[in-house]
Amino acid sequence: MATCPECDAEIEVDEFDVDKGDHLSCPECGSNLEVTGLSPIELDIAPDDDDDDDDDEDLDDDKAEDGAEDDDEDEDEEDKDWEE
């Protein structure tokens, strides 16, 4: 048995079915938990995945900026056509 660090509920975890770093959810409070110890089973609040989302947004912003630059180049080429 392990204990939820958020609500102190007892959670039945088979120590042979989990590895350190595995994520589970507390059936009582719904908190996302991470296995931090195996013998005995220790649980801690899992880190938020928001950091990963921020990285994805940064990549999307970079792609948008790259696309904007490409559009500017196309406009420059069109201007050259008019000048000729």
Side-chain angles (χ1 to χ4, degrees):
M1 282 287 199
T3 304
C4 173
E6 186 72 23
C7 69
D8 293 326
E10 288 189 6
I11 303 172
E12 188 172 335
V13 180
D14 184 352
E15 64 185 86
F16 298 109
D17 283 342
V18 295
D19 291 318
K20 194 171 182 179
D22 283 355
H23 289 237
L24 13 129
S25 180
C26 174
E28 294 295 319
C29 69
S31 293
N32 292 322
L33 306 173
E34 181 176 5
V35 178
T36 57
L38 294 176
S39 192
I41 298 287
E42 294 178 17
L43 302 173
D44 199 0
I45 303 294
D48 289 336
D49 290 337
D50 290 342
D51 294 339
D52 293 339
D53 293 341
D54 291 342
D55 292 341
D56 292 342
E57 289 173 8
D58 291 342
L59 291 175
D60 291 341
D61 291 343
D62 291 342
K63 288 180 185 175
E65 289 173 7
D66 290 343
E69 290 173 9
D70 291 341
D71 290 343
D72 292 341
E73 290 174 14
D74 291 341
E75 288 175 12
D76 291 342
E77 289 177 20
E78 288 175 10
D79 290 341
K80 289 179 186 175
D81 291 339
W82 283 101
E83 291 173 7
E84 294 176 7

